[in-house]
Each structure stands twice: as structure tokens, then as C-alpha cells.
Amino acid sequence: MLDANLKSQLQGYLQNVREPVELVASLDEGAKSRELLALLEDIASVSDGKVTVSTAGDDARRPSFEIRRRGSDVGVTFAGIPLGHEFTSLVLALLQVGGHPPRVEPEVIEQIRSLDGDFRFETYFSLSCQNCPDVVQALNLMSVVNPRIRHISIDGALFQDEVEARQVMAVPTTLLNGQPFAQGRMTVEQILAQLDTGAAARAAEKIKAKDAFDVLVIGGGPAGAAAAIYAARKGIRTGLAAERFGGQVLDTMSIENFISVPHTEGPKLVSGLEQHVKDYDVDVMNLQRAARLIPAAAPGGLIEVELENGASLKSRTVILATGARWRQMGVPGEDDYRNKGVAYCPHCDGPLFKGKRVAVIGGGNSGVEAAIDLAGIVAHVTLIEYDSQLRADAVLQRKLASLPNVRIVTSALTTEVHGDGVRVTGLTYKDRNSDDVHRVDLEGVFVQIGLVPNTEWLKDSVTLSRHGEIETDHRGATSLPGVFAGGDATTTPYKQIVIAMGEGSKAALSAFDYLIRLPAADSAEAQAAA
């Protein structure tokens, strides 16, 4: 089942298992059960006797298996074969059930242990989903730390009847005690914030007690991470507040234009960014959404950033790196059927539409790439582009045109998404040349029409372009003294990871230059007044 290279890597990891682990499989006579058993036997064969396999499982989902710490009630369950993006989840579960300590802050561990109640989580994932492992790994960890938490990870593509019955149309989808809990990527901290109602208030109190920063970065994507690193390297007090560290890069499947790295994936790149930031003295405040920017009362004074939780942060300079989010069509039915057939991540949700009909909205690179990927899974793809021609690279257009189950419609405006109250049943588009209206019957709509800057909260503080982007000069300075910006939220053209990193670095260097040029006496007086 596993090749020699993976077996060798796994053997190294399993050296960290401290407690004996049993893999208890629930199998039937099918091919997938045989595949699962082969995987479990491969794991046991390289464990030096620390892991054993049993086929005495009685779970109704088959194939499935529990990773159980022998002689205890510590365990996690996988329904399916956790390879692809979930292989790391499998390895971490083996280690953590086997007594290897998780890499989580002690206060987070204590918060998990202190949860009062019985929690039974079920997470539906797909093997091609880059967002799913975060949720699977977070809930597995929680179930190992707190025996009153149980977690089952379910491959939606393998249990399609169950997915249909529970109306799961997006992954990751998590249920708690049989009821909907969350959809989309979540970290341990985000899950705890929903379970522990006092967590947000405690976080706000901690933030209120913080001293002023020299540089405060708002945003944790490539621009924000680069800005924080460059600022911290100058030896000045640096803070970073982000709603979600990693930003849009977390949702990027394949990255092939990051110079010197021929190929990587978004979550892997974000992990590297996060570790690099942690190597420096940066106060990282995750799960924090900015709500208002208040200019300094006097030149060189303290700038204030109010957060949605009611706390405020103060700093001598601020770097805005809030990035962007997926643009929506803004048509009737889109919001009603979000995660009920309307999706924005073809890699994540595509496997749930196996054998069905879908549309892709958008003819740029992301739209054409999505249509190509989906064509290998679904029955038929209709690609709808507003312009008179596709805008994707020529090589992608040629590939798309070669696929027999793809229809390309140009000069078309999507006007409505239709559904039966539960799920998508079709869409309507208008031919921009003739004004004729057409309906397409289908089960899924994947929206790929670009990005919108996350700058609504700044409209009364810094100058924005007509597209909502932060206007900056060649040094990354905004219209407010001491406030700089970089990345996809700005007017800098070409929204690319490598450009965002450069712009974030430039903003940090400009902020440092601004600080050292402040008259010492004026700066001290301004801060005292603030």
C-alpha cells in the first residue's frame, strides 16, 4: 500500500510513539476495505511492535478504523482511507494517541481539558481538500487531550449516500452531537472560541493590557508575515494581529511561481511563514479582526486600532496587510445556497459533486483551472465568462478545449442561482449579445471571479481607490502619517504572493525609516499626549 519512501518516513515518525497503539478496523468484503487493511498492516510493520492491528471493529461505517491507546479510552476514528492531504492527519493521530505531546501552547491544552460537557464531533473531508486537515487534526488533538471529546473523520467521497442524506455539499463540514457545527477551515483556537463562551472576553482583556508597539501589523498573509519579520529584525517592538494567519494562501492548492521553489501548496507555505515569524520576537494575536483605525492625535503619537472584540491596540506605526477575499457574484440565490451547491474552492468541494453537473463562473486562470480539475470528477462542466473571450493563459485554454465534457459560454452574465430550498438545481444567464436568457440545470456552481480587498473598515480613515484598495506611494505610505500598507489590499498591481512579500517588507522598512526620523523630543511629547 505504502511505497518504500513513505514507509521509511513513517518508521522514523513512529519512533516517537510512547504508549502501545491498536488499530481496530471495521471492514467488509469490498476493495476499499482490502486497501485499508493493507495500509494498517504497513503501519504496524514499521512500528517495531508499538502498533498492532485488529479486525474486530463493529463500526457501521465500513471501511473505518479507530486508533486506540491500549488500555485506555483515548482514541480517534477515520472512516475511509486517510491518504492524500489527510496522511499527515493520520501520522499525527498515531503519534498523539501514542503519547507524543502535541505542539500546542500549554494554555490551549488546559483550555481543552477544562471544557465541561460531552462532545461528539463528525467531520466530512475530501482527500483533495487542503483546508480539511486543519479541522481533522484540531479535533483529533482535542479528543486525545479530553476523553469527553470524540471525533470521527469521514471521507465524503467514500460515503456518498451518507453525504446525500445529511446534505453535506462542502468540506470540511463538522457536526457536533449530530447537529451542524461549522463549515470551512478551523484551528484549535477557533473551535475553542465556539465551545468556550468566555474565551473571547479573556482574550480581549489580555490585549487591553498590552503596551504600545513600535510597529503593529494588521493581517497575517504573506505581506503581513514579511512585514513582521522585517520589523522585528530591526529590534523594535513588533505586534501582528490577524483574523486568520495565512489569509488567502491557505486556500491555494498549487503554487508553481514562487521563485526558487518549483512547487508547493498554500498550507505548507503558510506553515513556513508562521514558523519564520515565531523565530523572531513578534507578539502574534490570532483570531483578531480589526474594526477601526484611529489616527494619532499629534505627529509621532500613538495610532490606535480598535478590534471587534472591544479591545484596542496602540502603536507608533501601523502596517495594513489585510489582503483580500473571494469576490461574490451578487445575484439572487448565491447567499441562499452557499455551501448548498454554491462553492468557491473546487479542490475542496469538487469530490462531493462526482458524476454531477456543475458550472464554473469566470474565465481567468483560476476559473479555467477549476473547470479542468472538475472535468475529471463531474459529469459535465459549463464554464461561463462575462467577457467575449477567456482571459486564461493560452496553455490552459488549449487544455480546456480538449476536454469532451466541458461547454464554454462567453459574453454571458449570470443572473440567478436556482434551488429547491435545500440545494442548487440550476442557474440562469443572459447572453450579452442578444439579451436572450438561458437556464442551465445543474447541481453545483463554483465561483472564480477574482478578489475583493478587505478594507471596508478603513473607508473613513485612509484614502481608498474606487475599487476599495488602499492607495500607497512608492514607499508603501498611505494618506495617514505613520500608516503604511502592502499586499493584495493595496493599489499595487499584480496580486501575487511574491509581490505581496516584497511590498510587506518594503512597508516595514519604510515604517522603521519613519520612526528613526521622528524628532526625539516631539515623539516623546506626542506619546505622552496620546
Side-chain angles (χ1 to χ4, degrees):
M1 183 68 183
L2 297 178
D3 61 30
N5 183 47
L6 273 180
K7 281 187 177 181
S8 177
Q9 292 182 44
L10 188 59
Q11 185 172 27
Y13 291 133
L14 293 180
Q15 297 302 310
N16 295 306
V17 171
R18 302 179 180 181
E19 303 286 342
V21 171
E22 187 175 22
L23 307 178
V24 183
S26 299
L27 307 172
D28 55 22
E29 300 301 319
K32 289 296 181 181
S33 286
R34 291 193 294 273
E35 285 183 36
L36 176 58
L37 182 58
L39 171 63
L40 301 185
E41 289 175 342
D42 277 354
I43 294 170
S45 71
V46 296
S47 71
D48 295 332
K50 297 175 181 177
V51 179
T52 57
V53 178
S54 165
T55 57
D58 58 1
D59 197 308
R61 293 188 184 95
R62 296 169 185 261
S64 66
F65 68 102
E66 181 184 9
I67 304 175
R68 181 188 301 168
R69 183 181 299 170
R70 199 175 302 157
S72 78
D73 55 359
V74 175
V76 301
T77 299
F78 287 93
I81 305 173
L83 296 176
H85 285 290
E86 292 301 338
F87 185 69
T88 300
S89 302
L90 169 61
V91 173
L92 286 174
L94 288 165
L95 295 179
Q96 291 165 4
V97 172
H100 186 66
R103 295 177 61 182
V104 179
E105 297 296 328
E107 57 266 29
V108 174
I109 294 293
E110 185 54 38
Q111 191 179 0
I112 296 170
R113 286 188 178 133
S114 299
L115 287 173
D116 185 21
D118 294 306
F119 306 92
R120 185 177 183 274
F121 288 99
E122 298 167 281
T123 299
Y124 290 88
F125 66 86
S126 71
L127 296 179
S128 59
C129 170
Q130 73 270 25
N131 294 322
C132 296
D134 278 5
V135 180
V136 170
Q137 292 166 23
L139 288 169
N140 281 349
L141 183 153
M142 292 174 66
S143 67
V144 170
V145 171
N146 185 335
R148 298 182 69 181
I149 300 172
R150 308 299 296 175
H151 182 225
I152 302 172
S153 304
I154 306 157
D155 183 353
L158 199 57
F159 294 90
Q160 285 200 313
D161 290 345
E162 186 173 329
V163 163
E164 291 282 343
R166 289 183 132 174
Q167 300 175 9
V168 175
M169 284 172 273
V171 290
T173 288
T174 300
L175 307 181
L176 171 57
N177 298 333
Q179 299 300 314
F181 176 73
Q183 287 182 317
R185 179 190 297 271
M186 295 186 78
T187 63
V188 171
E189 291 80 5
Q190 287 172 309
I191 295 168
L192 285 171
Q194 287 193 222
L195 298 177
D196 183 354
T197 55
R202 293 195 300 272
E205 288 303 313
K206 287 177 66 176
I207 288 173
K208 289 177 183 177
K210 293 182 183 292
D211 294 332
F213 295 97
D214 292 313
V215 173
L216 174 62
V217 181
I218 306 298
I229 290 168
Y230 265 73
R233 283 175 61 86
K234 295 296 184 182
I236 55 181
R237 179 168 163 73
T238 303
L240 185 152
E243 184 176 3
R244 181 177 74 146
F245 193 95
Q248 280 288 318
V249 179
L250 281 168
D251 303 324
T252 304
M253 181 67 174
S254 179
I255 300 170
E256 297 178 344
N257 57 359
F258 190 68
I259 311 306
S260 84
V261 181
H263 178 269
T264 188
E265 295 178 348
K268 184 177 180 180
L269 178 58
V270 169
S271 178
L273 289 176
E274 190 169 19
Q275 185 55 55
H276 200 171
V277 170
K278 287 180 179 179
D279 288 343
Y280 291 92
D281 189 14
V282 178
D283 187 346
V284 177
M285 296 156 280
N286 212 355
L287 307 185
Q288 303 302 324
R289 185 170 185 172
R292 187 181 174 209
L293 178 68
I294 303 172
L302 293 178
I303 304 160
E304 186 174 352
V305 176
E306 289 184 357
L307 304 176
E308 281 199 349
N309 64 10
S312 289
L313 293 164
K314 293 183 178 181
S315 182
R316 298 172 67 196
T317 63
V318 169
I319 297 174
L320 303 171
T322 49
R325 63 187 182 277
W326 292 115
R327 184 183 299 277
Q328 298 179 31
M329 295 183 292
V331 301
E334 181 178 19
D335 285 340
D336 296 335
Y337 292 100
R338 188 187 314 278
N339 296 324
K340 298 176 182 179
V342 175
Y344 300 85
C345 180
H347 301 293
C348 302
D349 301 332
L352 299 179
F353 293 84
K354 183 178 180 180
K356 298 180 179 179
R357 301 160 298 174
V358 304
V360 173
I361 312 300
N365 280 350
S366 60
V368 172
E369 287 174 350
I372 292 169
D373 290 342
L374 288 166
I377 302 171
V378 304
H380 189 270
V381 178
T382 301
L383 186 142
I384 298 176
E385 163 58 29
Y386 179 84
D387 204 348
S388 60
Q389 59 186 4
L390 301 183
R391 295 167 286 108
D393 294 343
V395 64
L396 294 174
Q397 293 193 44
R398 287 194 296 271
K399 174 64 175 176
L400 184 70
S402 72
L403 301 175
N405 62 335
V406 175
R407 176 188 173 213
I408 301 170
V409 182
T410 57
S411 298
L413 172 65
T414 304
T415 56
E416 186 174 358
V417 175
H418 304 286
D420 60 6
V422 175
R423 64 190 67 206
V424 166
T425 58
L427 63 76
T428 298
Y429 71 87
K430 182 175 74 172
D431 186 319
R432 296 177 56 238
N433 295 320
S434 65
D435 286 338
D436 291 341
V437 175
H438 304 270
R439 172 170 172 138
V440 181
D441 292 327
L442 42 73
E443 290 77 38
V445 179
F446 290 83
V447 183
Q448 301 282 288
I449 54 175
L451 302 171
V452 178
N454 296 315
T455 57
E456 290 86 354
W457 65 287
L458 295 166
K459 62 183 180 181
D460 296 323
S461 53
V462 299
T463 301
L464 304 178
S465 73
R466 65 187 181 90
H467 300 296
E469 297 169 321
I470 304 166
E471 293 191 353
T472 58
D473 65 12
H474 67 288
R475 297 171 62 85
T478 72
S479 58
L480 277 182
V483 179
F484 303 84
D488 286 2
T490 73
T491 51
T492 298
Y494 312 119
K495 312 306 184 186
Q496 299 290 313
I497 294 171
V498 68
I499 292 174
M501 286 183 173
E503 292 296 305
S505 305
K506 180 171 70 176
L509 294 172
S510 296
F512 179 72
D513 184 70
Y514 173 86
L515 288 171
I516 63 175
R517 292 176 187 277
L518 285 175
D522 291 348
S523 177
E525 290 171 4
Q527 288 188 62

